[in-house]
Amino acid sequence: MNYGSALYHGRRIVVGRVGDAALDLTAASLGSEFAPLFADGSLDALLAAGRPTWQAVHAAAASWAEHDLIPLEELTMLLPFTVADYVDFYASEQHATNVGRIFRPDGDALTPNWKHLPIGYHGRAGTVVVSGVDVVRPSGQAREPDGSIRFGPSRRLDIEAEVGFVVGTPSRQGIPVPIADFAEHVFGVCLVNDWSARDIQSWEYVPLGPFLGKSFATSISAWITPLDDLDAAWTAPPVRNPAPLPYLDDSPSPAALDLALEVRLNGELISRPPFAGMYWTPPQLLAHLTVNGASLRTGDLIASGTVSGPERDQRGSLLELSWNGTEPLQLAGGERSFLLDGDEVTITATALGREGPITLGEVTGRIVAQPATP
Ligand code: CA
């Protein structure tokens, strides 16, 4: 059962998705020991409660499911939890290779560190928005082909189809979280669109990495899929060469997650990125993030980086799909290299569940022009 937070008749409630309806967990849990977990209408208290409680709630919710069902269209979905820290990785070899070829055509596609550690950066938690919220086209500096510097609305606004991991149980500062403890800390999975302004990004990112080209907005799905529902979706990761250092060695319990993503632009399918092929797996991302003693907080959002597969129609960004604008996509609504105002992008995903396919929460967002300043 996917979990979310919604406004219903002016009240904020926690909801569990049951097909085309939602169970009001705030109401259904009243009188039970779990009621305090849902009282404020967000997932924050549930996330902080830890794995044994997550499993107990899951078991109890099965007996609540006959009561308090609400049609989805009567709900206004909200950001499901308070985002603490946001970390974004770069864990797809195909994506990193494509970006390297586009941005550094004369150098090696992968940087020398890429197969030794999962590259990442700390993003901006305060601009994470829930699916359905419009995204304002950012303005910034960009360098023109003639070397002049332009300021204005981004002309290369892009998507990044990613998978996000939501931290529940915090960790102690100074104590790394080993690969084997992933499921003790991570509550579940969401879908992420990490909007990116390529013209701003390519001018600013040397030497400290992404900044204003990424921080204006990140959209996440309204529904969080608990790890417990994804038991059957774990699979073998790609072969790693060279072998990772011991703290990144996942050979005792290799754990790639087999999620099939689909990306639609204005309703038209443009890509099917396969998450199973990511070079670095979710437990490795968490282990690397904390290996220096950095602690986890309840509500941390850890994104995978753009999911791209080896085929052209498996690329998770327009930068790659249009090869930086040199091979525009031919769509029913016209040619597209980067996003125009009014464009709407939706990312969905399915996985194998214990009793058949399960659907993750979708993430959708529409680009709007910056409002004129009075
Ligand atoms: Ca990203």
Side-chain angles (χ1 to χ4, degrees), residues 190-279:
C190 62
L191 294 180
V192 178
N193 188 344
D194 186 37
W195 308 94
S196 299
R198 301 303 183 189
D199 40 6
I200 299 172
Q201 179 188 356
S202 60
W203 171 226
E204 74 178 0
Y205 86 104
V206 177
L208 282 185
F211 190 45
L212 304 181
K214 301 274 193 178
S215 62
F216 56 94
T218 303
S219 298
I220 66 169
S221 56
W223 298 98
I224 312 296
T225 304
L227 275 192
D228 284 329
D229 284 2
L230 295 168
D231 281 351
W234 297 101
T235 186
V239 173
R240 282 63 160 271
N241 185 16
L245 286 173
Y247 79 92
L248 290 170
D249 178 11
D250 63 350
S251 53
S253 55
L257 194 54
D258 188 3
L259 308 176
L261 275 62
E262 293 191 341
V263 183
R264 285 178 174 76
L265 174 53
N266 298 327
E268 193 167 342
L269 182 67
I270 59 169
S271 182
R272 296 173 184 270
F275 192 64
M278 299 294 274
Y279 191 89

Side-chain angles (χ1 to χ4, degrees), residues 86 88-89 121 160 162 194 196 214 305-306:
Y86 169 43
D88 192 21
F89 280 96
Y121 69 99
E160 291 194 332
E162 306 195 14
D194 186 37
S196 299
K214 301 274 193 178
T306 307

Side-chain angles (χ1 to χ4, degrees), residues 17-161:
R17 188 157 177 177
V18 183
D20 290 331
L23 178 63
D24 179 349
L25 292 167
T26 303
S29 65
L30 283 177
S32 83
E33 60 181 303
F34 303 117
L37 299 177
F38 305 113
D40 77 350
S42 88
L43 295 184
D44 292 351
L46 178 66
L47 292 179
R51 176 148 300 279
T53 303
W54 303 336
Q55 291 174 326
V57 165
H58 204 61
S63 67
W64 300 336
E66 292 163 28
H67 312 288
D68 303 300
L69 275 177
I70 304 166
L72 288 183
E73 59 268 21
E74 293 182 22
L75 299 173
T76 302
M77 300 306 295
L78 304 172
L79 192 65
F81 59 96
T82 306
V83 181
D85 291 303
Y86 169 43
V87 173
D88 192 21
F89 280 96
Y90 193 52
S92 159
E93 180 176 2
Q94 285 77 23
H95 173 69
T97 300
N98 289 337
V99 171
R101 285 186 181 139
I102 290 167
F103 281 170
R104 298 183 299 277
D106 301 325
D108 291 332
L110 292 182
T111 50
N113 53 3
W114 202 91
K115 290 200 168 181
H116 292 274
L117 53 85
I119 307 281
Y121 69 99
H122 287 276
R124 192 161 188 82
T127 52
V128 175
V129 298
V130 72
S131 177
V133 171
D134 286 347
V135 171
V136 175
R137 179 179 298 273
S139 285
Q141 288 194 24
R143 184 167 59 180
E144 302 286 49
D146 66 3
S148 62
I149 307 305
R150 175 181 70 85
F151 180 88
S154 170
R155 293 173 182 166
R156 296 190 169 230
L157 187 53
D158 198 357
I159 60 165
E160 291 194 332

